[in-house]
Amino acid sequence: MEGKQQQHQPPAGRAVMGAASDERRSEDGKDGAGCETLGRPLGPTPSQSRFQVDLVAEGAGRPAEELRKASREDGAAGKGSEEAKGRFRVNFVDPSAGDESPGEPGGGSSEGGNVSFQNGGDTVMSEGSLHSGGHHHYYYDTHTNTYYLRTFGHNTMDAVPRIDYYRHTAADLGEKLIRPSLAELHDELDKEPFEDGYANGDEGTPAGEATASYTPDSKGVVKFGWIKGVLVRCMLNIWGVMLFIRLSWIVGQAGIGLSVVVIGMATVVTTITGLSTSAIATNGFVRGGGAYYLISRSLGPEFGGAIGLIFAFANAVAVAMYVVGFAETVVELLKENGALMIDEMNDIRIIGAITVVILLGISVAGMEWESKAQIVLLVILILAIGDFVIGTFIPLDSKKPKGFFGYKAEIFMENFGPDFRHEETFFSVFAIFFPAATGILAGANISGDLADPQSAIPKGTLLAILITTLVYVGIAVSVGSCVVRDATGNVNDTIVTELTNCTAAACKLNYDFSSCQPVCQYGLMNNFQVMSMVSGFAPLISAGIFSATLSSALASLVSAPKIFQALCKDNIYPGFQMFARGYGKNNEPLRGYLLTFLIALGFILIAELNVIAPIISNFFLASYALINFSVFHASLAKSPGWRPAFKYYNMWISLLGAILCCIVMFVINWWAALLTYVIVLGLYIYVTYKKPDVNWGSSTQALTYLNALQHSIRLSGVEDHVKNFRPQCLIMTGAPSARPALLHLVHAFTKNVGLMICGHVHMGPRRQAMKELSTDLAKYQRWLIKNKMKAFYAPVHAEDLRDGGQYLMQAAGLGRMRPNTLVVGFKKNWRQSDMRDVETYINLFHDAFDIQYGVVVIRLKEGLDISHLQGQEELLSSQEKSPCTKDVIVKVDYSKKAETDTSVAFAPSFSERTTTSHSKSQPSPLNLTDQRLLDASTQFQKKQGKSNIDVWWLFDDGGLTLLIPYLLTTKKKWKDCRIRVFIGGKINRIDHDRRAMATLLSKFRIDFSDIMVLGDINTKPKKENIAAFEEMIEPFRLHEDDKEQEVADKMKEDEPWRITDNELELYKTKTYRQIRLNELLQEHSSTANIIVMSLPVARKGAVSSALYMAWLEALSKDLPPILLVRGNHQSVLTFYS
């Protein structure tokens, strides 16, 4: 809508309301014109903006003609606009316009800000009102600034159904309007406008911004109806040279009966394709691009891109084929009259080159001229066919020696059966005829130039197939009933005396043509010019041949650039972007015309078309096959969006059509068919690899969804089995981009094996969080895909992290695809954090065990959370883009694939709470700690080399502690790593314990490099380590023995995380074990790539959060990356088959 809108004439009666007007309307809400007026705005209205409201009513002093004219200008489609009784026009007026009249052109109304709607429309929201043109930014609140209109006698801003709300952004038929959002209808009224200038704090969404795109001026655009645009084109394209030159030969070879079968078979294929084309063309608005548009929007860009390119190329080469056919006929005439210029081959090149230049001139002159030329050519073609039909009823004696006797039963009977000669077969004859039946997409190929493609394509295409088939059959029967197969052309071959051995039809008609057999000069089998000989006026048949070839050439010359332009506009092949540009009022692809001309000219100069012809036929057939398959596929996917207005199709018949097209490809030429398959497959793979950023709602998407749904339901009916157990992880990542190391490590053992869900708990104000949920869902899912993560993103809003975790653990997943393992990062800064956060964090573990989840805690000594570093990167990039500095949290870049956490203030941080201010004017260079953190965050993306994965399988949790490292070693980056297993044991049974574990691992079929039995696991740790532990927990102790009983009880109640003296004494052994295990880890596993260890379990309600956190800290400090794993104590490994 950034294009200029047409200005309306100022109406006779107009009410202009100031923004802060306090005038009251009359009680009944009616004005003198008898129309319902706009209600008074609720609440105060900011003075920065105002609406100019023009009231247009019937009978207000304007004649009906003028009203109808205004209705047409309004951009609404159909008759509804003319029948509207009253209409409002609301202009958003720039206050800086001074005292200029708001209704005058240039009166300060924001560009694209006009909204006109009939009394069916109910809201004043348009692209202009949300995104003003120019440099002004209007700050207003939707609720206080929207004039409530009466709908069904009730004041509301709710909009009644209207086509303009459903348009695409750059619709040719009318402008897009934006209906009120659910938030505008549902949210609480704001007292003050938001500082970002959008209603209810809405950010500008890509959809909203895109709505302000240019709508081309529709004045003077040439649009064709179904006869001129489709019927004429299809008939001209289907009736080719074959009709005049080859059809009589086909009848000679196959006989009348099989010729009709050949025509019938070709018609079956084209009719099924025509029905499929009609179904796709009537399933929504069709833009330019013909077969490419239909296939790409149905099957997606992969098939569409492959077919679009070869179909455009096939049409370009078809121009050369048809032009050479024309040139050959001209050269034949020159040869007969002894007027050759150089020699036959070079004459064909010269005449072909001149012809294609003339055709290019007609095409470039515009569609109107091209359409007029097509009508002239059709008239000539029909006259030529009429000339032949008339000729069949006038048998002249001079033509009898050449085999033409008029309609005779004897000839019909003789020619009814086949007489294949020169190694011809039924299928070879069919292969020669079939290209004559193609051309049914000539109308669909210019879909962008049709006034109503949905109606025109089915009617025109199917009627053209019917008419051309009847003509083909009629001419085949006629020529087979009038002309014998062989004739000498010699007048002296009449029979004077009756011959006993002559049984041919010619003998019964007193002619004996046996003298020239097997090679005669005339007759159906030998003379390609039979139709000229039969016709009443032979030159008219030559004109018909010229007309058939030139019209087909012209149709192909127009089709190829139009298809190619549509392909380039979609940017599927970025290298061809320059051909997307159109020129003039009809958006003509002049660059495409030039390219098509050069391709055609090149093939004309080669002049070896016998090789290229079968490939072109196969290219056309491949597109027919895919159109048929598209209908089958769309029907199979059961997408609610598949609702063709054309009902006479069947998915199974369409599938049959697709199979028939593939069979016919091999019948015509097997090597050309294989070549076509290879080219289509190659282009398909290329487009799939490139992954164009388009979303057309294809049936491929719909079928993918349907398959996923059906398989999920089928899976739900199957009980879990230990052999099929796979770790399905719910990772509490916050924003996925904030903790990449956590994500990559879990992805290493879940990729292509199990489910991975990234949980993100949004806390804070509910309204803000709800907005972030929807924007983050799309943004972070895109981020995961971009980073090749096979994972899902699941955000929730909750009061605190524990509630959010519970929601996710209970509700995430679907059927059998539900998480069974909770993965969290270690809360590295727990000693500096609010201990209530630590309590929440530890309670997550208890909740997970309650719900029968396994738990994995991942610790990197550098930390996991890099969101504060990303904030600096985002700030730097935002400063480069705009001179004004804004807070990064407010600046949501929804349209690009931003990798920052826009809700970082509310992200669940179990690593480091971000304290860096995002609104610093200058980003500081990274310090050493941050640099190490950044390096550590990428360590799991690299190949791990020949190092160790140390598994400390101290307690049997069902086998998850062993399964995770095994799964890691199956991945490419980890495959060179060796598994070392550490177990606890007694000094006097070390050998026995090692053998028992080796036996168990071999039964589980898990390779290991070494097994170490730790006999000194229960030795008392070093004194300095015990002292360090006591120093660490000192701030969190209750010291109840030093306090009065009441004070101690009250303190424990208020701060349940505190460590009591009794608790410390009770769990002294367990505390010492954690400290001792850290000493052993430092001794044995300090060089390991990764350590996987059994997670100690704390009894719920008995061990305080601070003590449990201290255990985890003491156990895992100063080590390589460590995974503390605890399964849910159900077997995940088995040695049974």
Side-chain angles (χ1 to χ4, degrees):
M1 271 188 59
E2 283 175 6
K4 292 180 181 176
Q5 300 290 326
Q6 298 171 15
Q7 293 288 340
H8 298 274
Q9 292 296 319
R14 180 174 63 200
V16 178
M17 292 190 273
S21 169
D22 278 331
E23 287 176 22
R24 298 269 179 191
R25 285 284 170 193
S26 59
E27 296 261 325
D28 60 356
K30 304 266 182 181
D31 66 1
C35 238
E36 291 173 356
T37 62
L38 299 170
R40 180 175 175 276
L42 302 181
T45 308
S47 57
Q48 290 97 325
S49 63
R50 60 189 174 142
F51 284 98
Q52 165 206 337
V53 182
D54 295 346
L55 185 62
V56 183
E58 268 187 5
R62 293 212 292 170
E65 286 292 321
E66 200 176 338
L67 267 170
R68 277 198 292 273
K69 184 182 172 190
S71 290
R72 281 196 297 274
E73 286 175 354
D74 193 35
K79 297 177 183 175
S81 57
E82 294 181 19
E83 292 165 8
K85 297 294 179 193
R87 192 174 53 136
F88 292 108
R89 184 172 74 249
V90 183
N91 298 333
F92 195 67
V93 181
D94 186 344
S96 64
D99 293 329
E100 277 188 76
S101 166
E104 295 300 316
S109 63
S110 69
E111 194 177 2
N114 276 1
V115 188
S116 305
F117 50 94
Q118 285 65 43
N119 66 353
D122 218 11
T123 182
V124 188
M125 301 278 295
S126 80
E127 296 90 337
S129 62
L130 277 178
H131 308 275
S132 54
H135 302 290
H136 304 292
H137 218 99
Y138 296 111
Y139 298 97
Y140 73 97
D141 171 29
T142 317
H143 291 283
T144 53
N145 257 16
T146 300
Y147 288 87
Y148 283 59
L149 302 182
R150 284 190 174 275
T151 303
F152 318 129
H154 173 61
N155 278 346
T156 178
M157 66 178 293
D158 230 347
V160 294
R162 180 167 175 203
I163 193 171
D164 296 313
Y165 296 128
Y166 295 90
R167 293 195 191 285
H168 275 186
T169 49
D172 298 334
L173 302 177
E175 58 195 43
K176 175 180 172 61
L177 296 180
I178 302 175
R179 70 176 66 80
S181 71
L182 196 57
E184 287 159 10
L185 294 172
H186 174 252
D187 281 5
E188 296 170 18
L189 286 172
D190 287 331
K191 294 292 179 280
E192 291 295 328
F194 257 66
E195 63 173 1
D196 57 7
Y198 293 110
N200 300 325
D202 281 338
E203 300 287 348
T205 60
E209 284 158 14
T211 52
S213 54
Y214 173 68
T215 304
D217 183 10
S218 59
K219 277 190 176 176
V221 174
V222 179
K223 295 286 185 184
F224 302 115
W226 72 275
I227 295 177
K228 217 174 180 184
V230 183
L231 181 67
V232 169
R233 276 167 201 286
C234 287
M235 281 166 60
L236 281 169
N237 233 19
I238 295 168
W239 282 331
V241 190
M242 208 63 74
L243 179 66
F244 297 104
I245 295 178
R246 286 286 185 278
L247 192 58
S248 55
W249 175 85
I250 288 167
V251 173
Q253 289 280 356
I256 295 169
L258 287 183
S259 296
V260 172
V261 171
V262 164
I263 296 166
M265 282 172 60
T267 305
V268 166
V269 174
T270 54
T271 304
I272 293 173
T273 308
L275 293 171
S276 298
T277 306
S278 303
I280 301 178
T282 57
N283 189 50
F285 180 69
V286 180
R287 294 183 188 276
Y292 159 72
Y293 186 87
L294 298 178
I295 293 169
S296 64
R297 295 315 186 266
S298 184
L299 286 177
E302 295 85 4
F303 276 119
I307 281 298
L309 203 58
I310 68 163
F311 196 62
F313 177 75
N315 271 293
V317 179
V319 175
M321 274 175 58
Y322 295 129
V323 168
V324 167
F326 167 76
E328 281 179 352
T329 312
V330 175
V331 169
E332 279 292 322
L333 290 172
L334 292 175
K335 192 174 163 188
E336 281 177 23
N337 295 304
L340 283 176
M341 291 178 277
I342 304 167
D343 57 49
E344 280 189 45
M345 187 60 81
N346 285 317
D347 279 14
I348 288 170
R349 287 173 179 154
I350 294 164
I351 293 164
I354 294 167
T355 308
V356 83
V357 169
I358 294 167
L359 292 177
L360 178 71
I362 294 171
S363 300
V364 170
M367 290 296 289
E368 219 169 344
W369 281 95
E370 189 265 349
S371 181
K372 285 173 183 170
Q374 294 277 30
I375 294 288
V376 171
L377 293 172
L378 181 66
V379 169
I380 295 169
L381 199 56
I382 290 171
L383 286 175
I385 293 168
D387 177 36
F388 164 77
V389 172
I390 291 165
T392 60
F393 291 101
I394 314 169
L396 299 172
D397 288 343
S398 60
K399 293 180 182 177
K400 285 183 179 177
K402 294 180 179 178
F404 171 54
F405 294 96
Y407 291 102
K408 301 288 181 188
E410 297 91 336
I411 298 176
F412 178 82
M413 292 305 294
E414 184 179 83
N415 288 345
F416 191 80
D419 182 15
F420 293 114
R421 301 181 193 172
H422 311 298
E423 297 182 0
E424 295 293 347
T425 64
F426 174 78
F427 287 110
S428 69
V429 170
F430 175 75
I432 288 164
F433 173 77
F434 189 82
T438 59
I440 58 168
L441 294 181
N445 286 342
I446 61 153
S447 52
D449 296 295
L450 300 174
D452 182 8
Q454 283 187 282
S455 161
I457 291 173
K459 277 198 287 190
T461 306
L462 294 172
L463 190 59
I465 292 171
L466 178 66
I467 293 170
T468 50
T469 302
L470 291 175
V471 170
Y472 274 133
V473 170
I475 290 177
V477 173
S478 290
V479 81
S481 307
C482 297
V483 186
V484 294
R485 282 193 168 106
D486 297 292
T488 56
N490 188 348
V491 184
N492 299 322
D493 283 342
T494 52
I495 300 172
V496 182
T497 59
E498 193 170 325
L499 298 172
T500 53
N501 61 345
C502 183
T503 56
C507 297
K508 295 172 185 171
L509 298 168
N510 299 327
Y511 273 85
D512 179 13
F513 296 136
S514 56
S515 58
C516 68
Q517 289 179 351
V519 182
C520 296
Q521 198 176 349
Y522 293 96
L524 292 177
M525 297 292 254
N526 314 299
N527 182 11
F528 288 152
Q529 303 294 332
V530 164
M531 288 189 71
S532 295
M533 184 259 295
V534 171
S535 66
F537 183 62
L540 203 50
I541 296 293
S542 297
I545 293 170
F546 295 163
S547 168
T549 49
L550 294 178
S551 64
S552 297
L554 199 53
S556 296
L557 186 56
V558 169
S559 297
K562 295 273 183 188
I563 296 163
F564 196 53
Q565 183 187 32
L567 181 70
C568 297
K569 271 184 181 172
D570 289 334
N571 201 20
I572 292 193
Y573 302 104
F576 296 143
Q577 190 62 28
M578 59 180 288
F579 293 102
R581 188 173 171 196
Y583 297 85
K585 61 189 179 184
N586 259 36
N587 200 28
E588 295 287 354
L590 296 186
R591 293 174 180 180
Y593 280 131
L594 196 61
L595 181 68
T596 306
F597 165 74
L598 292 173
I599 291 170
L601 192 62
F603 280 103
I604 286 165
L605 296 179
I606 292 168
E608 279 296 325
L609 287 176
N610 288 344
V611 177
I612 208 83
I615 297 175
I616 300 309
S617 292
N618 275 329
F619 279 3
F620 282 128
L621 274 164
S623 53
Y624 292 177
L626 275 182
I627 286 176
N628 285 313
F629 184 70
S630 297
V631 171
F632 169 73
H633 201 266
S635 304
L636 189 68
K638 298 185 179 74
S639 169
W642 174 248
R643 307 184 296 275
F646 182 84
K647 300 295 181 191
Y648 306 103
Y649 72 94
N650 179 281
M651 61 184 284
W652 299 109
I653 289 176
S654 293
L655 179 63
L656 176 68
I659 294 166
L660 284 175
C661 288
C662 295
I663 292 169
V664 171
M665 285 169 75
F666 277 99
V667 167
I668 289 176
N669 191 307
W670 66 267
W671 60 262
L674 288 176
L675 183 67
T676 307
Y677 287 140
V678 168
I679 292 170
V680 171
L681 190 65
L683 291 171
Y684 178 89
I685 291 167
Y686 171 80
V687 177
T688 307
Y689 175 74
K690 281 290 181 183
K691 288 191 180 67
D693 189 18
V694 293
N695 182 5
W696 294 323
S698 66
S699 60
T700 310
Q701 285 174 319
L703 196 62
T704 304
Y705 171 83
L706 194 68
N707 286 337
L709 182 65
Q710 288 171 345
H711 284 110
S712 301
I713 292 167
R714 196 177 305 158
L715 199 61
S716 298
V718 181
E719 286 298 318
D720 286 331
H721 191 280
V722 62
K723 281 199 292 186
N724 291 325
F725 176 87
R726 47 194 76 218
Q728 312 214 89
C729 298
L730 170 62
I731 322 175
M732 303 299 283
T733 55
S737 55
R739 296 171 179 80
L742 188 66
L743 216 63
H744 284 108
L745 182 54
V746 177
H747 191 247
F749 63 81
T750 59
K751 181 186 177 186
N752 296 332
V753 173
L755 181 70
M756 175 167 148
I757 296 178
C758 300
H760 186 175
V761 180
H762 287 260
M763 295 174 281
R766 184 175 184 278
R767 184 167 169 188
Q768 177 71 14
M770 285 303 169
K771 277 165 51 74
E772 285 177 353
L773 281 182
S774 56
T775 53
D776 284 1
L777 186 60
K779 182 172 75 171
Y780 288 126
Q781 193 62 54
R782 273 207 308 262
W783 185 88
L784 289 168
I785 292 165
K786 182 185 167 191
N787 287 275
K788 298 189 169 78
M789 291 281 170
K790 297 190 176 180
F792 298 96
Y793 173 70
V796 292
H797 172 256
E799 293 303 315
D800 62 24
L801 181 61
R802 185 181 184 184
D803 284 350
Q806 285 180 341
Y807 299 160
L808 285 166
M809 284 188 278
Q810 291 175 71
L814 191 71
R816 294 275 172 219
M817 292 190 296
R818 301 180 74 84
N820 52 29
T821 308
L822 177 72
V823 182
V824 294
F826 181 75
K827 193 169 180 65
K828 187 181 172 214
N829 63 337
W830 67 276
R831 280 179 283 179
Q832 292 80 41
S833 294
D834 183 339
M835 286 307 288
R836 282 172 298 189
D837 289 349
V838 177
E839 180 85 359
T840 300
Y841 175 73
I842 295 300
N843 280 331
L844 264 181
F845 297 9
H846 294 312
D847 294 338
F849 290 137
D850 286 345
I851 307 172
Q852 290 291 297
Y853 268 55
V855 173
V856 178
V857 182
I858 297 177
R859 180 172 188 179
L860 271 61
K861 61 186 170 196
E862 298 86 358
L864 291 164
D865 188 359
I866 64 164
S867 56
H868 59 292
L869 305 180
Q870 287 183 322
Q872 285 196 341
E873 291 166 19
E874 172 71 8
L875 181 63
L876 189 63
S877 64
S878 67
Q879 281 178 337
E880 285 168 5
K881 286 175 194 169
S882 59
C884 62
T885 308
K886 284 182 95 177
D887 193 306
V888 162
I889 294 174
V890 174
K891 189 176 179 65
V892 182
D893 189 0
Y894 180 83
S895 58
K896 295 187 180 67
K897 297 180 182 178
E899 293 185 12
T900 57
D901 181 8
T902 57
S903 60
V904 80
F906 309 123
S909 56
F910 0 88
S911 253
E912 303 165 24
R913 179 77 67 181
T914 176
T915 52
T916 311
S917 169
H918 288 285
S919 50
K920 285 181 183 175
S921 57
Q922 287 296 325
S924 55
L926 294 176
N927 58 34
L928 190 60
T929 310
D930 284 344
Q931 189 57 54
R932 281 179 181 159
L933 173 60
L934 211 55
D935 292 342
S937 71
T938 60
Q939 64 180 310
F940 300 122
Q941 298 175 43
K942 302 166 190 163
K943 193 165 174 61
Q944 299 301 306
K946 292 187 177 179
S947 54
N948 294 322
I949 298 175
D950 285 359
V951 182
W952 290 63
W953 195 18
L954 304 177
F955 307 104
D956 194 333
D957 59 351
L960 187 64
T961 312
L962 194 58
L963 182 63
I964 287 174
Y966 164 74
L967 290 173
L968 277 174
T969 58
T970 61
K971 297 298 184 283
K972 194 161 66 172
K973 285 174 185 162
W974 296 81
K975 69 176 175 19
D976 295 331
C977 294
R978 293 167 309 208
I979 293 177
R980 293 195 305 179
V981 180
F982 294 78
I983 56 170
K986 293 180 180 174
I987 296 278
N988 55 354
R989 296 186 52 183
I990 285 180
D991 284 342
H992 175 270
D993 290 343
R994 183 185 284 121
R995 278 198 302 273
M997 180 52 67
T999 306
L1000 183 60
L1001 291 177
S1002 63
K1003 283 194 173 182
F1004 284 148
R1005 305 169 304 284
I1006 289 175
D1007 292 331
F1008 58 92
S1009 65
D1010 196 9
I1011 294 173
M1012 292 190 70
V1013 182
L1014 304 165
D1016 52 352
I1017 201 165
N1018 290 322
T1019 310
K1020 193 174 178 182
K1022 295 173 185 171
K1023 285 182 182 176
E1024 61 266 29
N1025 290 338
I1026 295 172
F1029 180 83
E1030 285 172 349
E1031 187 187 332
M1032 175 174 68
I1033 64 169
E1034 184 59 37
F1036 311 114
R1037 289 183 64 178
L1038 183 61
H1039 291 297
E1040 74 268 28
D1041 292 349
D1042 303 339
K1043 296 184 176 66
E1044 289 183 18
Q1045 185 68 31
E1046 279 186 24
V1047 175
D1049 289 348
K1050 180 81 171 72
M1051 200 171 175
K1052 181 65 179 171
E1053 190 181 331
D1054 293 343
E1055 297 175 337
W1057 42 265
R1058 285 203 176 272
I1059 305 168
T1060 63
D1061 296 343
N1062 182 38
E1063 176 189 5
L1064 204 55
E1065 186 60 37
L1066 187 63
Y1067 292 107
K1068 190 176 184 179
T1069 313
K1070 199 161 185 176
T1071 301
Y1072 282 178
R1073 187 188 297 139
Q1074 312 312 322
I1075 301 168
R1076 176 63 184 148
L1077 280 171
N1078 183 259
E1079 291 173 4
L1080 290 168
L1081 283 161
Q1082 302 274 13
E1083 183 186 335
H1084 295 289
S1085 295
S1086 57
T1087 58
N1089 245 28
I1090 195 164
I1091 302 167
V1092 182
M1093 188 171 197
S1094 298
L1095 171 75
V1097 176
R1099 191 169 294 282
K1100 192 165 47 171
V1103 180
S1104 61
S1105 299
L1107 181 59
Y1108 188 37
M1109 203 70 214
W1111 285 351
L1112 298 182
E1113 174 72 40
L1115 176 65
S1116 62
K1117 68 178 182 183
D1118 303 327
L1119 289 169
I1122 182 166
L1123 274 73
L1124 299 172
V1125 179
R1126 177 66 68 155
N1128 65 358
H1129 285 247
Q1130 291 174 1
S1131 296
V1132 301
L1133 297 171
T1134 181
F1135 48 80
Y1136 294 109
S1137 61

